[in-house]
Amino acid sequence: MRFDNKAVPIVLAAVLIDTIGFGIVIPVLPRLITELGHVDLEQGARLAGYMLVLFSATQFVAGPIMGSLGDRFGRRRVLIASMLAFAIDYGLMALAPTLAWLFVGRAIAGIAGAVYAPAMAVLSDVTPPAKRGATFGLIGAAFGMGFIIGPAIGGLLAGLGPRAPFVAAGLLAAINALTMMVALPETLAPENRRPFDWRAANIVGAFRPLFAAGNAAALLGAWFLWQLAHMVYPATWSFWATIRLGWDARAIGWSLAFTGLCMALVQMTLTGRAIARFGERVTVVIGLVSGAVAFTALAFVTQGWMVYALFVAGAFQGFVFPAMNALLSHMVDADRQGALQGGISSMSSVASIIGPLVLSQALAAGTDHGFPGAAFLLAGLMAATALVIIVTLVLRRPSANAAASPVR
C-alpha cells in the first residue's frame, strides 16, 4: 500500500504495536485478578469493571490535555511520552503483588492511553479531508490486527504464567517509543500551532468549535451510545466466554484474534470503498446495523462455533469509527484537530467509565439468574438506539450535519 506521507505508516505501526500490547494481557486478566484478589469469576468480573472505570476516568481528564498539548508542541513529543508511560504501566502490572498495584497501573495506562488523540491528529494533519474516512479506517485495521496478534500471543504466553504477557507488552511499548524517536517526523507545522489553553483542555472546550461548525449533537449522541455498547467486549468478554462457554485463556485469545482479523480485513479492504460509494453517513448506518445484530445474537449463543459465525457477520461494525470520525474532522480547522481528537477520546472515556460498570454488572446479575448473555443484549439495545438516532436525526437532516466549513 502506498502512503503519501511517511508519518502514516509509522503511526499505524505505533497503533498496531500498542494494541498488541493491550491485547496480549486480556486472556490472563481473569486469572490474575482472581489470584491476587482471592475471588471467584463473578466477583472478578466486577473488579475488572472497576479497573476499566479507573482507566477511563484518567483518560477522560488526559485526553483533551494531550490533544491540546499536541496542538501546542507538536504530535511527536506527545506520542513518545505516551509510549514511555505505557512501558512503565506494563512493568508495574508485571510486578504487581496486590490488586492495588493493578489499579495504579491502570491509572497510568489511562493517561498514556490518550495517545490516540495525537495519533489521529497526525492522520488529520497529513490526509486531505476527502480521504480521511479511508485513512481512519486504516487505524481501525491496525487496531484489529493488534487484536489478531496480541490475544493469540497472550494465550500462548499464558503457559508461562499470568505475568509473562505483561512483560512482553512492556517491551513492545518501549520498542514503539524508540521507533518513534528515530523515525517519526513532526506533522504539525509551526504556523498551525496554537497556545495551550486550559479552558480548551477539557471535553467542553474541545467540542466548542465543533458545535460552532454545525449541529453535531445527534451525531455525538449516537456515537456515545455506540461506544457504550462496544465496551461489552473489553468489559465482559473474557469472563463471559469462561462462564458461558468454558473457554480457557488460549481459547479466549484465539477468539479475539479471529474477530480482530475479520474487522481488520473489512477496514483495510472495504471502508474506503464504502465511504466513496455511499458516503460517510450511510456507511455509519451499515456499521451500526451490523453491530446491533451481532451483539443481540451473541446474547443467545450456546456453542463456540456460533461465536465465530457472528464475528464474521458483525465485522462491518468496523465502519462506525472511521466514518463518524471523518464526519467530525471535517468540521474543525487544522489547529484544532488535536483538541477535537482529545475531546473524542474523552467522550470515549466517559463511555468507558459508564459502560464497564453497567455491562459488567449486567453480566454478573444475568449469570446469577441463569442468563449470562444479559450484557450483550443490553449492548444490542444501545447500538439499536444509536441507529435510530442516526436514521431519524442525521440522514434526514443533511444540511445540519453535513461537513461544514471548518472553524477555529
Side-chain angles (χ1 to χ4, degrees):
M1 182 177 294
R2 181 179 175 274
F3 298 104
D4 295 331
N5 189 293
K6 69 176 184 179
V8 174
I10 294 172
V11 168
L12 293 176
V15 172
L16 172 64
I17 293 173
D18 177 57
T19 310
I20 289 172
F22 183 81
I24 276 177
V25 305
I26 289 178
V28 298
L29 270 179
R31 178 181 169 188
L32 190 59
I33 290 174
T34 54
E35 286 183 1
L36 290 179
H38 306 288
V39 296
D40 60 19
L41 279 172
E42 290 182 24
Q43 184 61 27
R46 289 189 171 94
L47 289 171
Y50 299 145
M51 206 171 288
L52 275 172
V53 168
L54 177 62
F55 172 90
S56 301
T58 52
Q59 192 172 72
F60 170 77
V61 175
I65 294 174
M66 300 288 269
S68 293
L69 286 172
D71 287 340
R72 171 63 181 89
F73 298 106
R75 321 298 187 196
R76 183 175 180 274
R77 295 179 185 177
V78 178
L79 284 167
I80 292 171
S82 293
M83 287 300 101
L84 291 174
F86 262 127
I88 294 171
D89 165 56
Y90 289 125
L92 279 175
M93 297 188 77
L95 298 172
T98 65
L99 277 175
W101 277 52
L102 292 184
F103 278 92
V104 171
R106 288 295 83 191
I108 295 173
I111 298 171
V115 66
Y116 286 98
M120 296 298 291
V122 167
L123 299 187
S124 296
D125 290 340
V126 301
T127 307
K131 296 182 178 180
R132 283 180 188 163
T135 304
F136 291 155
L138 294 177
I139 281 281
F143 190 86
M145 290 298 294
F147 265 100
I148 296 169
I149 302 169
I153 295 175
L156 293 173
L157 290 177
L160 301 177
R163 298 175 189 272
F166 291 96
V167 175
L171 290 174
L172 284 174
I175 292 170
N176 196 355
L178 180 61
T179 300
M180 287 189 291
M181 289 178 189
V182 173
L184 180 65
E186 180 54 62
T187 61
L188 184 64
E191 61 270 18
N192 287 332
R193 300 184 188 186
R194 62 183 178 87
F196 181 84
D197 184 356
W198 282 106
R199 293 172 298 179
N202 57 73
I203 192 168
V204 176
F207 285 151
R208 188 175 293 117
L210 185 66
F211 285 110
N215 180 13
L219 185 60
L220 289 173
W223 198 355
F224 182 69
L225 282 170
W226 169 252
Q227 289 169 329
L228 283 176
H230 213 258
M231 286 305 300
V232 73
Y233 291 125
T236 71
W237 185 259
S238 295
F239 294 92
W240 173 82
T242 303
I243 294 167
R244 185 69 184 92
L245 301 172
W247 284 356
D248 59 12
R250 181 170 297 185
I252 292 168
W254 285 118
S255 70
L256 291 172
F258 183 79
T259 188
L261 174 62
C262 292
M263 289 193 191
L265 288 175
V266 166
Q267 290 172 322
M268 284 190 296
T269 63
L270 298 179
T271 298
R273 296 178 183 178
I275 291 175
R277 181 178 179 85
F278 303 114
E280 287 148 346
R281 288 174 294 155
V282 174
T283 302
V284 168
V285 169
I286 295 171
L288 288 173
V289 169
S290 175
V293 170
F295 290 147
T296 303
L298 279 168
F300 300 99
V301 301
T302 57
Q303 298 182 47
W305 69 265
M306 297 178 181
V307 170
Y308 283 88
L310 288 171
F311 281 161
V312 174
F316 293 100
Q317 64 189 274
F319 284 165
V320 177
F321 169 76
M324 282 195 175
N325 207 329
L327 279 172
L328 295 172
S329 73
H330 297 333
M331 297 181 182
V332 299
D333 211 343
D335 65 350
R336 294 280 178 176
Q337 290 294 333
L340 169 64
Q341 297 301 332
I344 290 171
S345 174
S346 281
M347 186 171 67
S348 300
S349 299
V350 175
S352 299
I353 294 169
I354 300 172
L357 280 175
V358 173
L359 293 165
S360 62
Q361 298 306 311
L363 170 65
T367 300
D368 287 342
H369 292 83
F371 182 51
F376 283 99
L377 191 61
L378 180 57
L381 178 61
M382 293 175 181
T385 304
L387 175 63
V388 170
I389 292 173
I390 292 292
V391 170
T392 58
L393 298 180
V394 177
L395 289 183
R396 294 184 181 181
R397 298 173 60 187
S399 62
N401 295 285
S405 298
V407 298
R408 292 178 181 271

